[in-house]
Amino acid sequence: MVPFIDVDLTLTETREALRELYQIERLVMVGRDMDACAQAARPVDGEACSSDDAAGLIASADVIVCATTSPRPLFDGSLVSDGSVVLAVGSHTTDARELDDTLMHRSVVAVESVPIPRKLPPRIVIWLVTS
């Protein structure tokens, strides 16, 4: 059993510990609203970038987190480098998706639970079968 240690860390100490643990060199928040991106990036010493200027960031990123409920793909999947990890929230409807076919067809897909994609959007099941 792992012991529980009650440690009271400041936001700065937590941020520094996470950056060191995961060896995060650069954190960039990308979005359509630059003010919202800057506000989200500030507490984690991140940068803000417009989604219109993100192609170079996507190509060089080791980890891409898509935490949106966008009804359409967020970026061209061919921009993602081989070996990168892409985490996506996904969608509960069949007409919305964060990731395009280009990325899905060249990816190893992992889901949090097998029953969930079987019950929800059929696209993930199609990608799992055809990939």
Side-chain angles (χ1 to χ4, degrees), residues 18-102:
L18 289 172
R19 282 185 180 267
E20 183 176 325
L21 177 65
Y22 294 108
Q23 299 176 355
I24 298 171
E25 294 176 19
R26 185 176 182 200
L27 179 78
V28 183
M29 303 282 188
V30 177
R32 293 181 304 263
D33 182 336
M34 284 298 294
D35 290 336
C37 285
Q39 185 176 0
R42 196 170 299 115
V44 292
D45 285 340
E47 304 167 42
C49 176
S50 165
S51 52
D52 294 333
D53 301 324
L57 292 170
I58 292 165
S60 65
D62 294 318
V63 178
I64 299 169
V65 179
C66 304
T68 75
T69 54
S70 177
R72 63 188 190 326
L74 300 173
F75 49 83
D76 178 353
S78 67
L79 296 173
V80 177
S81 298
D82 291 341
S84 293
V85 174
V86 179
L87 306 170
V89 172
S91 172
H92 294 287
T93 66
T94 57
D95 61 342
R97 55 195 288 196
E98 293 175 298
L99 307 176
D100 67 7
D101 284 339
T102 301

Side-chain angles (χ1 to χ4, degrees), residues 109-121 124-125 128:
V109 178
V111 295
E112 66 187 53
S113 167
V114 172
I116 289 174
R118 286 187 180 149
K119 285 192 269 183
L120 299 171
I124 192 77
V125 176
L128 289 170

